[in-house]
Amino acid sequence: MNVLIQKLWPEIGWINNTDLREKTAAVWDLALKRSVLKAEDLSSIPFTLLCGPDLKVSFIAHKRCVVHIARAAGEKMNEFFKPDLVVNIDVLTAGAILADVGKLLEYELDNDSRAIQGKYGKYLRHPFSGVSLAEECKVPPEVCHIIATHAGEGDQMKRTTEAYIVHHADFMAFEPFRNRLIV
Ligand SMILES: [Fe+2]
């Protein structure tokens, strides 16, 4: 794994399976090579374009938080539900780390260097571009499934346990920014 990816995503080190760990890192490496964004931009651009111009939380802060929430949730479910319901923590972690990797192809920079959704991203939102990048790096289908179903598009499909966890971790860290009760 190259140093840049290791610095960007220390959580990749949580994946115990060497092959899956290397493939997960390779997808981020490939996405950064194809993107208009650089690794350092991920600490400054907002994590979503759907919450207005005042959103300060960065892309990478949000993504890492989702990985931490998902993993903690998966471990708790194993603690209480195993063997009736078993969460594969490696698959869960890789899927959470890769869920939004396709956003690197979704974004373009406008004249003021602000991230906007580009033409490619309008045709193929990040669940699709993410699967495309992941398959190119030979990521297994159980992880591609998490990328494919983590967002609203996945509501049309039956999700695995790991995909449910990533979906909810992602949305619980998104909805309060988008629309919460303030009294
Ligand atoms: Fe997403």
Side-chain angles (χ1 to χ4, degrees), residues 100 126 150 170:
D100 273 355
H126 65 277
H150 81 277
D170 193 27

Side-chain angles (χ1 to χ4, degrees), residues 47 62 65-66 69-70 73 164-178:
F47 78 87
H62 185 265
C65 179
V66 169
I69 293 169
Y164 267 124
I165 295 171
V166 173
H167 168 66
H168 286 285
D170 193 27
F171 276 74
M172 70 186 277
F174 164 63
E175 296 286 9
F177 287 108
R178 186 176 64 157

Side-chain angles (χ1 to χ4, degrees), residues 9 12 14 25 33-34 47 56 58-59 93 103 109 120 139 150 152:
W9 273 113
I12 290 178
W14 289 351
K33 287 194 175 103
R34 299 240 174 106
F47 78 87
K56 303 269 188 314
S58 74
F59 181 96
T93 307
K103 279 195 177 172
L109 297 178
Y120 175 86
V139 169
H150 81 277

Side-chain angles (χ1 to χ4, degrees), residues 95 98 127 130-132 134-135 138-149:
L98 293 175
V131 168
S132 173
E135 290 215 300
K138 309 269 188 284
V139 169
E142 59 272 28
V143 176
C144 289
H145 168 80
I146 298 174
I147 304 170
T149 62

Side-chain angles (χ1 to χ4, degrees), residues 18-87:
T18 311
D19 184 57
L20 185 57
R21 189 167 64 236
E22 290 300 323
K23 285 173 177 168
T24 301
V27 181
W28 271 95
D29 199 29
L30 178 64
L32 281 165
K33 287 194 175 103
R34 299 240 174 106
S35 181
V36 295
L37 302 172
K38 295 185 177 52
E40 56 266 31
D41 295 328
L42 304 180
S43 309
S44 57
I45 62 165
F47 78 87
T48 175
L49 304 175
L50 304 173
C51 293
D54 296 329
L55 182 71
K56 303 269 188 314
V57 179
S58 74
F59 181 96
I60 197 68
H62 185 265
K63 298 312 135 204
R64 291 185 61 204
C65 179
V66 169
V67 173
H68 283 245
I69 293 169
R71 186 178 168 93
E75 282 174 345
K76 278 291 156 196
M77 286 173 72
N78 275 343
E79 186 184 325
F80 284 93
F81 300 150
K82 226 172 167 178
D84 299 309
L85 189 76
V86 178
V87 179

Side-chain angles (χ1 to χ4, degrees), residues 109-128:
L109 297 178
D110 69 7
N111 294 335
D112 298 320
S113 295
R114 274 189 311 242
I116 54 167
Q117 192 181 42
K119 188 175 169 187
Y120 175 86
K122 286 194 171 91
Y123 282 123
L124 293 166
R125 258 173 45 83
H126 65 277
F128 301 95

